[in-house]
């Protein structure tokens, strides 16, 4: 018996794959052989929603497909400058866990259902991974795993999470890539860029045609990746665009977001462009970018929309009202997940098509939650307009589900529709990342729902980012005080 047990793969031993994943693994092996792939990239989304991982030659990738690929735990200890901000060589590695000390290894375990061949690198395969300790336990700081656990809790209540994405971002032409040795750093110097369009002519065909050459490069490869693209639009600002994606279920919309961001940056870089999902680049005349998340819950048994009302005159079911109330009640504490960068708070401005307070409205673009649909409309949904495109989608979506279900359980009243959103009295959203981190740290709900371990970890990383920022002397300070005093 012992000999038989030890012959089982890591995946089989710990029952990490579903039947669907086992079937996908068979297809993966066949595709690698049929297409003669040379390499396969194994990637996992880190705490910031950035893909990290290793590239293996195809034969080695197939060999370790069910046993996992080692990667150092310090990948989970880094802030947005890629600096390790935990004392990993102390007892517990700064995490209070022996598995995390000494820059020890964990295992990336591929999810074969995510396997793709890269259209811009046609002999390269690409697969998303989940991160596990050597004993099979999921690493608690890996956000894809956290989101999966939230989806499992939702499924136990009989529902699936459905989300559609509207993602704004900028694409520029690179004029100087800043690749001299002196430009390297942590972080390095960003590239110098020029515009592809002047902007402001929102949704005009003229501006679209100016940007069409690069937008077509992106569109072609995003579709070839199998992502559910719906539309390509020019946004209001210079060199700004928006891609929207059809609603999908469960893990798919979050995976779509990390794959899309990574794909766009790679495609653009190969053609001399720079794509950024930074909310508000420090470039004259640019406009902030947002990420609007459309969401609903549907019954697993019959696919019925749980937010839809059956009663004329009632635009939401009681379940939908409670879920909406939960999103508003926990909005301040959830902001660190929806807007996780210092820069993202530059977007929250009154009368700006971006929210500044926790309110909802019926088809109103000035509110935080825009309610769409109505009685007997199976497309009834909530559009959360608070997010920035740099957000980690696994944390963003997990925070939405947890907040909404708490509202359902407590029958939280969302109050009336805010038809004058910038004049309605309501809880204001945090004005800075520091304020958002305080809101999360002091909120007992997320500490209980996500676990104190995860909240403390995330707060530590965000505080490291904030402290580096506060140590910098900005141009504003130099201009304001250097001559005056």
């Amino acid at each position: 018996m012992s000999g038989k047990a030890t012959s089982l793969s890591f995946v089989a031993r710990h029952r990490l794959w579903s039947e669907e994943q086992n079937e996908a693994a068979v297809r993966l092996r066949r595709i690698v052989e049929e297409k003669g792939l040379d390499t396969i990239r194994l990637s996992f989304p880190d705490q910031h929603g950035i893909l990290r991982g290793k590239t293996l030659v195809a034969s080695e990738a197939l060999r370790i497909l069910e046993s996992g690929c080692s990667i150092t735990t310090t990948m989970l200890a880094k802030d947005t400058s890629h600096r390790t901000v935990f004392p990993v060589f102390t007892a517990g590695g700064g995490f209070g866990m022996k598995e995390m000390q000494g820059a020890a290894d964990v295992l990336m375990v591929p999810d074969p259902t995510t396997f793709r061949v890269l259209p811009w690198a046609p002999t390269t395969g690409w697969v998303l991974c989940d991160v596990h300790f050597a004993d099979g336990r999921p690493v608690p700081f890996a956000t894809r795993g956290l989101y999966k656990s939230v989806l499992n809790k939702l499924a136990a209540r009989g529902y699936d999470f459905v989300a559609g994405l509207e993602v704004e971002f900028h694409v520029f032409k690179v004029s100087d890539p800043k690749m001299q040795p002196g430009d390297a750093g942590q972080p390095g110097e960003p590239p110098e860029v020029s515009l592809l369009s002047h902007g402001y002519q929102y949704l005009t065909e003229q501006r679209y045609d100016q940007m069409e050459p690069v937008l077509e490069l992106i569109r072609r490869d995003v579709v070839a990746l199998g992502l559910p693209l719906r539309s390509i639009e020019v946004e209001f600002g210079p060199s700004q665009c928006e891609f929207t994606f059809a609603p999908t279920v469960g893990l798919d919309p979050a995976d779509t977001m990390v794959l899309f961001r990574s794909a766009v940056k790679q495609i653009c870089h190969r053609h001399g462009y720079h794509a950024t999902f930074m909310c508000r680049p420090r470039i004259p005349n640019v406009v902030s970018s947002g990420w609007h998340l459309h969401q609903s819950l549907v019954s697993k048994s019959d696919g019925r929309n749980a937010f839809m009302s059956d009663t004329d005159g009632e635009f939401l079911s009681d379940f939908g009202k409670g879920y909406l109330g939960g999103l508003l009640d926990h909005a301040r504490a959830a902001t660190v997940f929806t807007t996780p960068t210092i820069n993202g708070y530059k977007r929250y401005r009154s009368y700006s098509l971006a929210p500044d307070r926790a309110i909802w409205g019926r088809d109103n673009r000035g509110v935080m939650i825009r309610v769409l649909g109505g009685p007997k409309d199976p497309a009834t949904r909530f559009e959360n307009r608070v997010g920035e495109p740099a957000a980690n989608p696994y944390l963003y979506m997990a925070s939405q589900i947890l907040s909404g279900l708490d509202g359902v359980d407590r029958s939280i009243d969302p109050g009336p529709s805010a038809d004058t959103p910038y004049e309605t009295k309501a809880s204001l959203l945090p004005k800075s990342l520091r304020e958002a981190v305080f809101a999360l740290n002091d909120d007992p709900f997320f500490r209980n729902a996500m676990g104190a371990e995860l909240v403390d970890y995330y707060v530590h990383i965000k505080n490291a980012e904030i402290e580096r920022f506060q140590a910098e002397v900005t141009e504003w300070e130099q201009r304001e005080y250097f001559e005056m005093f």
Side-chain angles (χ1 to χ4, degrees), residues 92-109:
F95 297 84
M97 298 176 66
K98 67 181 189 302
E99 299 93 340
M100 301 293 289
Q101 72 185 48
D105 280 344
V106 286
L107 288 172
M108 292 190 297
V109 178

Side-chain angles (χ1 to χ4, degrees), residues 39-47 49-56 61 64-65 68-71 75-76 107-112 114-116 118 120 124-132 142 144-145 255 258-259 262-263 266 394:
T39 56
I40 297 178
R41 298 183 192 175
L42 276 61
S43 303
F44 80 95
D46 75 359
Q47 52 278 16
I50 300 299
L51 291 178
R52 298 181 185 269
K54 297 183 178 181
T55 298
L56 278 60
I64 61 89
L65 191 62
C69 174
S70 63
I71 194 164
M75 299 297 99
L76 295 162
L107 288 172
M108 292 190 297
V109 178
D111 178 350
T114 66
F115 178 74
R116 289 163 167 83
L118 295 183
W120 58 92
T124 300
W126 196 18
V127 65
L128 282 176
C129 299
D130 293 303
V131 187
H132 293 262
R144 190 173 191 259
D255 287 347
V258 293
L259 294 175
S262 189
Q266 291 177 47
Y394 305 101

